[in-house]
Amino acid sequence: MDQTLLILGDTNIQNREDPFSAFVNVRDMLTSADVLFGQLEGPLAEPSIDPARPDIPHKKGWRHSGAKVGPALKKAGYVGVSCASNVAYPASAAVASVKALDSAGILHCGVGETLAEAKKPAIIEKNGVRFGFLSYTSVFWPSNHAASANSPGCATIKAHAAYEPGPRALEMPGAEPITHTFADADELEAMRDDVRALRTKVDLVILSCHWGVSSKEEPVAYQREIARAAIDVGADMVFGHHPHVVQAGEIYQGKPIFYSLGNFAFDWDVMRGRHLDGLVLRCLIAGKKITEIELLPVRRNEHNDICVHSADTGAGKDILGRFEQLSRKLGDSIVLSRATHLRLEGM
């Protein structure tokens, strides 16, 4: 039996009397899916009411979303969410979010009371197909953030950066350096082990990765390293988030990688009026495989509510055109049809 899997980018709902109102314009799209999975970019921990004790001291103006968002996500159709991120902080907020998600009946991965819990996959069975999701962040703070064997937090794949003087450094003081990034060897291998283990239990393995540089349209090297390493050991798809803008996609070993889907519903005040665009992935599942992916362009409107746009005109055409342009920089593996709904070919 064919079915559809809908994958959403960063979801952050806050400061709404009715949290479900964030989805008022996309209800038909959400309810069309057999399985709906997205990135939760806003822990369901209760926001602080003490200005002297902000939710995240180093992130000005940030507020956690609160447990009341859980039922709204459930009503919208979310079956599962990935949770590892730079705002799943402090560790106590990550734990509170897990409890709220459990209470709402939404599966989750990427955070937990121990590293083993944070790395535990979300396994969703629908119409005879078992979907397995893993969640990691490469964007995190050095304390009270990454889970350990005996402490709560996020599942991580640490990345490193090295800086080389640019070709004009001697001539032009202050010229930007060349930045090299790479994944931590031990944490990369641990991720490979997670994928191998999950591969034996499910039909489809999907990685959700919080990574990259905020506002940057091009993926950095470690993103491609992680994605390809996951596919090499059995992942069927990798999708990313955190940059808040749409990044490129590519097909590697016949499997799709989307480096950033951009924002979906996003209410944080700092994001009002900026980084409005995103992509939603509608994946057709046939024979327990992803056989086709439809890219649905979305943009937040003047009320900050997310809307789906036609692929043929206006905002939708612009979003998909930019995605194509960025993807060509990585090669010619992504080919988008020119039908009303644009689809990935060559799966």
Side-chain angles (χ1 to χ4, degrees):
M1 177 179 179
D2 293 355
Q3 56 185 310
T4 56
L5 163 68
L6 209 63
I7 295 182
L8 310 177
D10 283 322
T11 299
N12 173 285
I13 300 174
Q14 53 183 276
N15 301 322
R16 290 176 182 260
E17 184 175 342
D18 176 11
F20 183 72
S21 67
F23 306 111
V24 65
N25 296 312
V26 292
R27 282 178 291 186
D28 290 346
M29 177 186 72
L30 299 182
T31 58
S32 72
D34 295 289
V35 176
L36 176 59
F37 189 92
Q39 165 66 11
L40 183 61
E41 178 75 344
L44 305 190
E46 297 308 315
S48 172
I49 58 174
D50 182 359
R53 301 181 57 133
D55 292 337
I56 302 180
H58 51 263
K59 199 171 184 69
K60 185 177 180 181
W62 179 266
R63 288 176 62 79
H64 294 324
S65 293
K68 72 176 185 178
V69 172
L73 294 174
K74 184 70 173 180
K75 183 179 177 181
Y78 283 74
V79 178
V81 291
S82 50
C83 299
S85 79
N86 59 310
V87 296
Y89 181 94
S92 58
V95 171
S97 191
V98 164
K99 292 178 180 178
L101 289 165
D102 286 341
S103 179
I106 298 173
L107 297 176
H108 50 81
C109 52
V111 298
E113 298 206 40
T114 64
L115 180 59
E117 285 296 311
K119 295 176 77 171
K120 186 177 179 181
I123 297 178
I124 300 165
E125 185 164 358
K126 185 74 174 181
N127 298 327
V129 177
R130 287 172 65 83
F131 301 84
F133 297 88
L134 292 165
S135 169
Y136 305 90
T137 184
S138 299
V139 187
F140 61 97
W141 288 86
S143 62
N144 202 23
H145 204 157
S148 73
N150 301 304
S151 63
C154 292
T156 64
I157 306 174
K158 187 186 300 181
H160 304 284
Y163 302 94
E164 175 188 354
R168 301 186 67 184
L170 292 177
E171 169 204 357
M172 188 167 54
E176 291 186 0
I178 300 168
T179 303
H180 303 276
T181 65
F182 52 96
D184 181 85
D186 290 340
E187 296 208 352
L188 188 66
E189 186 57 31
M191 177 275 291
R192 289 189 184 102
D193 289 341
D194 296 340
V195 173
R196 292 185 186 106
L198 183 56
R199 179 77 272 169
T200 67
K201 301 174 183 177
V202 299
D203 301 303
L204 292 169
V205 175
I206 299 172
L207 249 67
S208 173
C209 295
H210 208 69
W211 55 11
V213 180
S214 185
S215 303
K216 184 179 176 67
E217 287 188 316
E218 292 79 17
V220 292
Y222 83 82
Q223 293 174 250
R224 300 188 77 187
E225 180 185 12
I226 290 171
R228 291 180 171 214
I231 287 173
D232 282 340
V233 294
D236 294 286
M237 174 191 283
V238 178
F239 76 96
H241 27 83
H242 171 70
H244 301 296
V245 295
V246 174
Q247 291 187 337
E250 65 178 328
I251 304 296
Y252 172 71
Q253 305 284 23
K255 309 296 184 181
I257 302 168
F258 296 89
Y259 288 103
S260 174
L261 297 182
N263 288 335
F264 187 59
F266 217 97
D267 283 333
W268 183 32
D269 285 343
V270 174
M271 204 64 69
R272 289 287 179 128
R274 58 195 290 261
H275 297 336
L276 302 177
D277 296 345
L279 287 176
V280 170
L281 307 179
R282 180 182 281 151
C283 308
L284 177 65
I285 313 298
K288 298 185 177 182
K289 294 182 179 180
I290 301 171
T291 57
E292 189 172 79
I293 300 178
E294 184 180 346
L295 276 68
L296 303 174
V298 292
R299 175 175 286 176
R300 304 197 313 281
N301 65 15
E302 65 275 15
H303 305 296
N304 206 50
D305 296 329
I306 194 69
C307 302
V308 187
H309 287 265
S310 167
D312 296 326
T313 61
K317 186 176 182 180
D318 290 344
I319 293 166
L320 288 168
R322 185 60 180 152
F323 171 76
E324 283 187 283
Q325 184 180 33
L326 292 167
S327 298
R328 280 196 294 270
K329 295 180 180 180
L330 302 185
D332 296 322
S333 63
I334 290 284
V335 179
L336 295 179
S337 72
R338 290 298 177 185
T340 302
H341 299 292
L342 283 74
R343 293 175 174 85
L344 283 169
E345 300 175 350
M347 301 287 294

